[in-house]
Amino acid sequence: MNRLRLRLAATAIAVTVSASVASGCGLVSSSGTFHDATLPGGDRPLADSSLVVTSKSFTEGVLLGKISATYLAAAGAKVTDLTGAPGSASSRQAQLNGDADILWEYTGTGWVNYHGETETISDPGELWQRVHDVEQRDHDLEWLPPANFNDTYAFAASAPTAERLGVTSLSDVARLPESERTFCVDDEFFSRADGFVPMLETYGIPLNAPGGVPSSNVTRMDAGVVYTSTAQSAPCNFGMVYTTDGRVKNLNLAVLDDDRKFFLPYSGTAVVRDEIINRYPAIADLLGVVSERLTDDLMQELNGRVDIDGEDPADVAYDWLKSESLVE
């Protein structure tokens, strides 16, 4: 399984992508439609444009697609909503084929999964530039400047456990007594070439080495169970999480700093076909307004409203845009 997790919304997202006309708000995809809205002051910089917005099917992807569809339609575009495309490849392929115009991606995904690169580039800006350049050269895709959130791997502990052990970083974990260095991970992360085993080596506590982490300190379990086990500090003090997952905030987990920069950045980035961005340059400014407001904490909150509270992604997207006075 690749880095693109299929974290599906708690509310069911169907896996077919058929569309039908819905009055006043573009087209309806399998995952529902988006809210009708206008920009403050009634500006319509995208009047007479037609755009197709797609997304991956996990919660965060759908939310980003709904935010984009709602905001661009508010700016006057006729938007076809194909958010929630099944699998990690279908939305990407739709964009490569020219059947979709706008898709939120992740810099780490572009670097590793789409271009097969193995070099770890820890600087988010440098990684974005490298991905931007190769995607424009090879696929005529414009990766807009990234948002201010990074949905990457991390390790977390319950807030009380982190305080008890005095840890804020993975280097702090490496300095703990062996008995306290206990981990919960899923099978996929355990076996990845850029996953658990090389991470331990980077922090000087190799698996099954003297002074490292014995196998008995590592519990492999389903990814969803990792969160609750970490919150309970049983059977582990530290669990693998994704930095923008809603359960981080909901379960009061403390995310540890990756101070040796082992994990590749996965900065969220809106990707637009060159033909479309050249025809409608206002898209870059509009999505830039959105990107600059998106942070790790905010994405945790929005993802949690869907995955934990059961809200519809279209409602969450509209409510957030309205709370930011971006639409009315």
Side-chain angles (χ1 to χ4, degrees):
M1 181 181 294
N2 64 30
R3 170 60 176 73
L4 294 169
R5 294 89 57 213
L6 299 183
R7 284 185 294 145
L8 298 179
T11 53
I13 297 177
V15 297
T16 56
V17 186
S18 58
S20 58
V21 175
S23 175
C25 52
L27 300 184
V28 181
S29 77
S30 60
S31 56
T33 188
F34 52 89
H35 285 261
D36 193 12
T38 58
L39 297 186
D43 291 342
R44 291 172 55 83
L46 293 178
D48 301 323
S49 67
S50 294
L51 303 172
V52 179
V53 176
T54 189
S55 80
K56 308 279 177 20
S57 59
F58 61 89
T59 299
E60 187 167 277
V62 174
L63 276 168
L64 293 168
K66 295 296 185 186
I67 289 171
S68 300
T70 305
Y71 195 44
L72 297 176
K78 178 182 179 183
V79 174
T80 299
D81 175 6
L82 296 183
T83 52
S88 62
S90 57
S91 54
R92 164 77 172 180
Q93 195 59 50
Q95 190 171 51
L96 292 177
N97 293 345
D99 296 326
D101 301 317
I102 298 165
L103 167 67
W104 280 79
E105 283 283 11
Y106 298 88
T107 51
T109 300
W111 188 241
V112 174
N113 297 95
Y114 297 156
H115 293 282
E117 299 288 351
T118 57
E119 178 186 359
T120 297
I121 300 174
S122 60
D123 180 76
E126 180 185 353
L127 180 61
W128 170 80
Q129 190 67 60
R130 298 275 290 272
V131 173
H132 170 277
D133 293 349
V134 72
E135 284 281 273
Q136 191 159 74
R137 182 195 70 205
D138 292 353
H139 298 300
D140 296 323
L141 294 175
E142 177 67 21
W143 284 56
L144 298 178
N148 293 315
F149 74 90
N150 177 24
D151 187 6
T152 191
Y153 291 113
F155 273 83
S158 72
T161 293
E163 183 176 1
R164 174 178 66 85
L165 296 175
V167 296
T168 60
S169 69
L170 287 172
S171 288
D172 290 338
V173 174
R175 290 189 283 267
L176 292 174
E178 180 182 287
S179 61
E180 298 285 9
R181 295 197 298 264
T182 55
F183 298 89
C184 289
V185 299
D186 65 14
D187 287 333
E188 189 260 343
F189 181 72
F190 183 88
S191 60
R192 285 181 65 95
D194 60 349
F196 185 63
V197 175
M199 185 212 75
L200 292 180
E201 293 173 354
T202 296
Y203 281 93
I205 46 174
L207 187 68
N208 288 327
V213 175
S215 291
S216 58
N217 281 24
V218 182
T219 304
R220 296 161 68 172
M221 57 181 60
D222 180 80
V225 182
V226 169
Y227 286 82
T228 53
S229 297
T230 304
Q232 297 164 0
S233 300
C236 57
N237 288 327
F238 307 103
M240 189 279 295
V241 300
Y242 299 109
T243 50
T244 61
D245 194 296
R247 289 168 290 188
V248 170
K249 180 174 292 187
N250 180 261
L251 294 172
N252 193 27
L253 302 181
V255 176
L256 304 176
D257 181 33
D258 175 24
D259 52 310
R260 295 193 179 181
K261 306 301 180 187
F262 172 78
F263 294 117
L264 192 68
Y266 281 80
S267 303
T269 307
V271 183
V272 187
R273 292 196 301 117
D274 273 356
E275 177 186 352
I276 295 299
I277 202 73
N278 291 335
R279 191 185 307 167
Y280 309 114
I283 292 173
D285 293 333
L286 290 162
L287 293 181
V289 168
V290 169
S291 290
E292 67 186 11
R293 288 168 164 78
L294 301 179
T295 64
D296 287 356
D297 286 344
L298 175 65
M299 295 313 300
Q300 288 176 10
E301 177 187 338
L302 299 184
N303 286 328
R305 287 178 59 181
V306 176
D307 286 331
I308 297 166
D309 300 335
E311 296 184 50
D312 188 284
D315 295 339
V316 175
Y318 173 74
D319 289 348
W320 177 73
L321 286 166
K322 194 168 182 181
S323 73
E324 292 290 313
S325 299
L326 295 178
V327 302
E328 55 187 24

